[in-house]
Amino acid sequence: MTLLWQGRGVVAISVAVTVLIAVLSTLMAGPALLNDDSAINLIGAIWQGGLFVIYAIPLIPVAYGAHIAVLRGEVGLSALQSQGWTGMMRFGRGVIFAAVMLAILVTLYQLVFVQDLLLMSAGRMDGARTVRLILGGAVAFLVLAIVVLFGAWGAMSLQVGQVGQVKVGDVQAIGRKNFWYLAWRITAVVLVLPVLSALVLPMMGQVVAVMVALGMPADPAFLIVRTAFSGLIACFAVILISVTFCRAWLRSANAS
């Protein structure tokens, strides 16, 4: 929360850009993920994955600023300038790579597992769907393990100074040494996000009501408010994850 407040300028810009992306994506609505006959729409899947990556772009300065704040003590807009734009661009390439991988996984989950989850909640399951859900859970744990093992890349790249000098084995070693320290905390962040979303719903409704009273149509007001709150929660989650991985790096550095 301290870093969120200290970097409020960066967070505000990130949220504003996120709202702009949401408005533009609504005006230029892309193809659906599924066709009318429930068949997979490849163009729709690519569109959705690309939109996921685009939404990750405003979070790059937030993650970068949080890393710099923990590792070097600089906060806010000054943290973004600590290594110049080149440093943030190098860091951003890693974030985009991670976002692309997550976009592919999220799209696959929506295509393969969401329908099974809905049927399970309605009590309509069979053997094949149960097996798919078990496999989906196993894949989710595998993805968590990969994130834990390689998530310290950002902290290491900033400390080493050059992305090309960061060795995969060194990053993996940090992940192995701090595996459970990271796994429990990353899992907690993922689990707390729906709780935060539920907590802000009453506030969202009040803000939408005020905007409507001031003359804005209900649908645009709801879109802007919902996206702004979602962007703020995403910034908070990114800061939490960044701090966690930076502390893992510091734990390993101090131990050595």
Side-chain angles (χ1 to χ4, degrees):
M1 290 298 295
T2 300
L3 287 182
L4 185 70
W5 175 251
Q6 290 175 338
R8 57 191 178 276
V10 180
V11 171
I13 293 172
S14 175
V15 171
V17 174
T18 301
V19 171
L20 178 61
I21 293 171
V23 172
L24 293 177
S25 64
T26 302
L27 296 176
M28 300 181 296
L33 189 60
L34 299 176
N35 294 323
D36 294 336
D37 58 356
S38 297
I40 298 174
N41 185 346
L42 180 60
I43 302 301
I46 295 173
W47 170 268
Q48 179 168 306
L51 196 60
F52 185 96
V53 175
I54 291 173
Y55 272 113
I57 293 176
L59 296 174
I60 293 175
V62 179
Y64 182 77
H67 276 73
I68 293 295
V70 175
L71 297 173
R72 303 186 181 179
E74 299 181 53
V75 297
L77 294 173
S78 62
L80 304 185
Q81 303 171 0
S82 63
Q83 290 187 337
W85 291 110
T86 303
M88 189 167 67
M89 292 298 291
R90 287 198 303 262
F91 181 88
R93 286 199 295 268
V95 175
I96 292 299
F97 176 79
V100 170
M101 297 296 102
L102 287 176
I104 294 173
L105 289 170
V106 169
T107 303
L108 290 175
Y109 256 78
Q110 288 183 324
L111 291 173
V112 178
F113 300 112
V114 169
Q115 183 180 7
D116 292 336
L117 289 171
L118 293 175
L119 291 173
M120 182 182 68
S121 65
R124 298 166 54 191
M125 290 295 293
D126 55 29
R129 292 192 178 98
T130 302
V131 171
R132 280 202 300 268
L133 285 177
I134 293 174
L135 290 175
V139 171
F141 282 113
L142 177 61
V143 171
L144 174 64
I146 293 174
V147 170
V148 167
L149 288 175
F150 297 101
W153 173 88
M156 179 172 284
S157 66
L158 291 175
Q159 291 298 83
V160 171
Q162 295 292 333
V163 175
Q165 297 176 0
V166 177
K167 298 180 180 179
V168 174
D170 294 338
V171 178
Q172 187 183 14
I174 295 176
R176 288 200 311 270
K177 291 178 182 177
N178 299 277
F179 186 86
W180 294 113
Y181 173 88
L182 291 168
W184 291 119
R185 285 161 175 78
I186 299 302
T187 302
V189 172
V190 174
L191 294 178
V192 80
L193 293 182
V195 178
L196 289 177
S197 299
L199 290 176
V200 301
L201 279 177
M203 191 181 303
M204 286 175 53
Q206 293 175 2
V207 175
V208 170
V210 171
M211 295 177 69
V212 171
L214 293 175
M216 179 176 287
D219 288 343
F222 179 76
L223 173 66
I224 292 172
V225 172
R226 176 178 60 82
T227 306
F229 275 92
S230 298
L232 183 61
I233 292 173
C235 290
F236 181 60
V238 165
I239 290 173
L240 280 175
I241 293 172
S242 299
V243 170
T244 300
F245 281 117
C246 287
R247 285 180 174 173
W249 156 260
L250 292 173
R251 281 162 55 99
S252 297
N254 293 334
S256 60

